[in-house]
Amino acid sequence: MNTDFHYYATYSAAVFAGYSHVEACDICYSAQFVDLCSKTFLASIKGPRSAATSQLSVELVEQKTDILGLQDITRIWASFHFLPYDLHAEKKHCSRAYKNKYRLICNSNGKLVIDTVNLAKNKSLQAVGIAMHVLADTWAHKYFAGTPSLVINNTDKHFYEIIPDGDGYKERQLKFSHNPGAKDDPENGIYVNTLYQTSEKTVMNLGHGRAGHLPDYSFIRYKFLPAWGEYREVLKDNPSDYIHAFAQLVYAMQYLRGERETFELETYAWDTIEPYREEIETLLEKRQTDDAADWKALGEKLSGETIPDFDIDRYKEEYKSAEKDQKNNTFLGKFILGALAQKSMVTGKIYKSGNPVAGVSVDYDKNGFAGIKDYIKLIEYSAEGGEHE
Amino acid sequence: MLKNYENSLKNDELSLKLRKSDRTLYATGVGCFGFAIWSLIRLILSVYTEFDGLKAWISNGLEEFIQETAKTANGPLEAEVLKAIYFGSLFVVGLVFLTIFLLALLFQVYIGICACKEATGKKKKYLYILFAFILFAFYSLNSAGYAREISHMIYGLNLDAMGINEMEGTAKLLVDLMDNALDEFASLLLSLTSAVIALELIVNSIKVKVLRKKMAGGIVNEH
């Protein structure tokens, strides 16, 4: 998903769930920041690079795709943008290596969504924002995996948009171009995607690159043949997925605020959003690549406040100028802890399922510190009495 | 919202088989086309890298021709006339070789293009399948020939290994044999690959035709 949903729609969902304007701003900022917290940014604030929740294009271009490089990529993308649906999925007549990647395919309402939401319970607003980003992306990024893989993430020319036409629908074959500087053209059905490369592990085959930005556009419905699908057509109905994502965000945040006792899968706050459901559905169906203005208008109508524009540098100085022992109490410090906890949780689950694709995960409680510097910060924070797992 | 549309997704067994066969046919068509282009590149590279050797071969050939003609001719022939005859013959042979080569190339290109068109549903063709059979037969025999050469070399290697302490220059002989064997092995692999591609192309083109006929006839297997 893009800024329109991660920032403005998450704000609206937070207000629906009962958060104040200030709290909603913190949550939506954190949700959007997940897409921008790269190693480059963390280096600029002298923060721990292991807390990266995303990778910039320039970082991906330089990223090595040896075993360690692939594990690094998978840790980031599977933890924050392509949460695996079923880590124990079975598939017949395939190699172990294939199955490991197959088990990373993202879909909504997987068990890891419960773990993600529960991880944010009684934690900072930044942790809530991170959880909401992950949850929202499980809807948009369905059917793709957060690891570079041609045999999982590839698509081909069999890609058709389904356009409402009277009482039925008509199909239009979509065309893809590989010019990264070009803009998507929804009117003519021409979209930009990553170049086809036969190498299995190239970053071109990471996530939904081969489908371009289509999963991130709320208006589009399409069918395609994912590489893992054994030639089966798969349908993606973004307007439906996005409204479900929104309703689930509201439900999740109601749970995190304490309004609901448990967080369950396949449960949505339809009753809460009912007065605005039609407006939201109309917004989602609008044939535009950026819904930010509309979501912003809705959010401001709900709260009666002005939503500040997203500024990546807003909390930089606070973190940089804080004393070392105070950094964890800054906005970015809390975000970093939340990100490390999320990454640690997901990586641990993947490893414990017998899947080495995201690397080795060490249970510090049982086995002690084993030299993996990624999560030292979490250990230190816990040792000081902090409450992250 | 798309519940009704979901039911119209083409995921019946026939459609899945057809998609798989289409894609395999397309890939083998591209493979066939690719091998044709590779043959052309290989020829150009061979001429380019062996140009000096080729020149030497031609001039040596001319000398031999003049000497042999002198032995067998009834009277003396002028060198210029002999040169003209030699180069003229060489030109004709070269032209014939090039023509055959280009025809073979076009043969493969035609098969590849037809397979791709068939796979994308653009045109129904039949002749290319017969041509693919011929291609398969050719590469199979070719592969058998290379395999025979390699087995001879290995057999030769064994004999040399047995007499290794007695023969002079055995080490060089072994190295030469290994080099040749590797060349032959590489050629065998390429030839085998081409044969497999041709076979896959034939199998899938027939499959595609059969499956399309079934679909057109309305025979759909529920899954």
Side-chain angles (χ1 to χ4, degrees):
Chain A
M1 283 173 171
N2 295 331
T3 308
D4 50 8
F5 201 92
H6 283 311
Y7 190 62
Y8 295 107
T10 303
Y11 174 92
S12 305
V15 171
F16 266 119
Y19 282 103
S20 67
H21 164 73
V22 171
E23 288 170 332
C25 282
D26 283 355
I27 291 170
C28 73
Y29 186 97
S30 302
Q32 172 58 18
F33 192 60
V34 173
D35 270 344
L36 297 158
C37 183
S38 61
K39 285 183 181 172
T40 307
F41 179 87
L42 288 164
S44 73
I45 61 169
K46 296 196 171 79
R49 313 230 183 139
S50 49
T53 58
S54 186
Q55 289 177 294
L56 305 174
S57 302
V58 290
E59 290 174 351
L60 280 171
V61 162
E62 289 179 352
Q63 173 76 50
K64 286 183 189 164
T65 50
D66 55 9
I67 293 178
L68 294 177
L70 287 172
Q71 288 173 352
D72 196 26
I73 293 171
T74 307
R75 270 199 292 273
I76 291 173
W77 293 91
S79 300
F80 297 103
H81 307 279
F82 296 89
L83 198 69
Y85 173 72
D86 184 358
L87 290 175
H88 301 278
E90 281 304 324
K91 189 157 173 81
K92 287 181 188 170
H93 311 303
C94 66
S95 67
R96 189 59 197 260
Y98 181 90
K99 207 188 288 192
N100 285 339
K101 287 178 244 188
Y102 181 78
R103 286 173 169 173
L104 295 185
I105 294 172
C106 173
N107 206 332
S108 55
N109 288 303
K111 287 181 189 161
L112 278 174
V113 171
I114 298 180
D115 296 327
T116 297
V117 172
N118 281 329
L119 193 65
K121 183 77 172 164
N122 300 322
K123 301 292 191 308
S124 62
L125 294 172
Q126 289 75 13
V128 174
I130 292 168
M132 294 307 104
H133 180 108
V134 175
L135 195 158
D137 272 353
T138 61
W139 288 93
H141 297 167
K142 270 184 187 181
Y143 311 131
F144 293 97
T147 191
S149 173
L150 177 75
V151 297
I152 298 291
N153 292 328
N154 192 34
T155 63
D156 64 6
K157 285 182 186 174
H158 191 103
F159 217 116
Y160 295 86
E161 183 180 358
I162 297 146
I163 305 167
D165 184 26
D167 286 338
Y169 296 92
K170 63 180 181 188
E171 291 179 5
R172 174 172 70 172
Q173 188 167 16
L174 298 178
K175 290 174 207 156
F176 287 99
S177 91
H178 309 304
N179 178 1
K183 285 195 172 166
D184 289 340
D185 180 4
E187 287 318 304
N188 295 312
I190 304 172
Y191 296 89
V192 177
N193 73 345
T194 56
L195 196 61
Y196 173 69
Q197 291 197 333
T198 53
S199 169
E200 161 66 5
K201 294 169 188 170
T202 169
V203 291
M204 295 287 170
N205 296 325
L206 171 64
H208 63 76
R210 293 289 294 141
H213 289 293
L214 287 176
D216 294 331
Y217 295 148
S218 65
F219 67 88
I220 197 162
R221 297 176 176 91
Y222 53 90
K223 68 175 184 183
F224 69 113
L225 298 182
W228 55 264
E230 292 174 339
Y231 304 100
R232 286 178 200 283
E233 287 182 331
V234 163
L235 185 62
K236 186 79 168 48
D237 183 356
N238 279 1
S240 172
D241 285 343
Y242 275 54
I243 188 90
H244 278 80
F246 187 79
Q248 197 173 46
L249 284 187
V250 175
Y251 168 67
M253 283 192 275
Q254 286 171 337
Y255 162 71
L256 290 170
R257 278 193 70 241
E259 271 185 40
R260 297 187 190 255
E261 281 186 23
T262 55
F263 176 80
E264 287 165 8
L265 298 175
E266 308 275 7
T267 313
Y268 312 92
W270 296 124
D271 47 347
T272 311
I273 70 168
E274 191 52 44
Y276 290 89
R277 185 165 178 171
E278 205 181 313
E279 189 176 340
I280 295 170
E281 282 172 347
T282 308
L283 188 167
L284 293 172
E285 297 254 12
K286 238 187 189 178
R287 207 171 170 79
Q288 57 189 13
T289 57
D290 187 0
D291 294 328
D294 294 321
W295 276 116
K296 185 174 183 197
L298 177 68
E300 287 174 348
K301 185 162 78 174
L302 289 171
S303 65
E305 306 274 0
T306 306
I307 307 171
D309 290 339
F310 182 83
D311 176 11
I312 193 174
D313 295 325
R314 193 183 301 167
Y315 299 105
K316 241 180 165 176
E317 269 318 303
E318 183 200 16
Y319 187 85
K320 280 163 80 172
S321 56
E323 293 296 321
K324 196 177 173 186
D325 57 349
Q326 290 301 313
K327 283 204 190 293
N328 288 340
N329 297 326
T330 62
F331 187 101
L332 288 181
K334 290 176 195 171
F335 179 91
I336 285 167
L337 286 171
L340 286 170
Q342 172 69 13
K343 200 192 260 191
S344 175
M345 184 272 291
V346 176
T347 311
K349 296 270 180 187
I350 293 173
Y351 181 69
K352 281 174 187 163
S353 72
N355 192 338
V357 176
V360 175
S361 180
V362 174
D363 195 332
Y364 291 119
D365 284 343
K366 286 185 188 157
N367 302 318
F369 177 61
I372 299 172
K373 31 179 210 176
D374 267 20
Y375 304 108
I376 291 176
K377 204 164 185 44
L378 274 180
I379 302 288
E380 287 168 355
Y381 187 64
S382 294
E384 288 162 14
E387 285 183 11
H388 264 289
E389 288 168 16
Chain B
M1 286 187 81
L2 282 184
K3 282 284 175 229
N4 292 338
Y5 189 84
E6 258 175 346
N7 297 332
S8 68
L9 287 178
K10 293 177 193 126
N11 287 334
D12 53 281
E13 203 180 318
L14 210 61
S15 296
L16 298 185
K17 281 182 182 168
L18 181 60
R19 272 182 214 134
K20 185 175 180 181
S21 296
D22 270 342
R23 274 147 185 79
T24 311
L25 181 61
Y26 190 88
T28 51
V30 168
C32 211
F33 186 81
F35 265 99
I37 302 300
W38 164 243
S39 301
L40 182 64
I41 294 171
R42 198 170 56 175
L43 177 71
I44 294 169
L45 280 176
S46 301
V47 169
Y48 181 75
T49 55
E50 302 289 332
F51 191 68
D52 289 338
L54 202 64
K55 267 171 62 179
W57 179 77
I58 291 172
S59 56
N60 289 343
L62 176 64
E63 276 175 33
E64 268 182 47
F65 176 68
I66 292 172
Q67 282 168 14
E68 289 296 320
T69 314
K71 281 181 199 170
T72 54
N74 290 330
L77 287 168
E78 284 191 25
E80 289 305 315
V81 172
L82 286 172
K83 244 190 182 175
I85 294 170
Y86 177 75
F87 282 115
S89 311
L90 212 61
F91 177 77
V92 169
V93 167
L95 199 65
V96 168
F97 167 77
L98 206 64
T99 307
I100 293 172
F101 178 81
L102 285 173
L103 280 173
L105 209 76
L106 285 172
F107 186 76
Q108 274 193 284
V109 166
Y110 175 76
I111 294 170
I113 289 177
C114 286
C116 290
K117 281 191 173 168
E118 175 98 56
T120 50
K122 284 183 183 156
K123 264 186 179 177
K124 260 196 231 173
K125 290 197 178 259
Y126 296 90
L127 190 61
Y128 79 97
I129 302 176
L130 174 64
F131 286 175
F133 264 113
I134 296 169
L135 199 71
F136 170 67
F138 171 76
Y139 279 119
S140 300
L141 288 170
N142 221 20
S143 305
Y146 284 125
R148 192 165 153 272
E149 281 297 313
I150 290 169
S151 65
H152 280 171
M153 283 173 189
I154 291 169
Y155 183 65
L157 263 173
N158 282 340
L159 283 178
D160 291 322
M162 278 162 59
I164 196 165
N165 290 326
E166 295 159 11
M167 292 172 69
E168 263 188 324
T170 310
K172 187 177 181 306
L173 188 69
L174 284 171
V175 167
D176 284 344
L177 274 168
M178 287 283 287
D179 271 344
N180 290 336
L182 280 171
D183 281 344
E184 295 294 323
F185 189 67
S187 301
L188 169 66
L189 280 180
L190 274 171
S191 200
L192 264 176
T193 308
S194 302
V196 167
I197 287 175
L199 183 64
E200 280 272 349
L201 192 148
I202 294 162
V203 166
N204 283 285
S205 61
I206 294 170
K207 259 189 187 172
V208 161
K209 288 185 189 307
V210 167
L211 288 169
R212 285 215 177 114
K213 234 181 191 168
K214 274 186 181 173
M215 285 189 84
I219 302 167
V220 173
N221 293 323
E222 293 296 329
H223 74 104

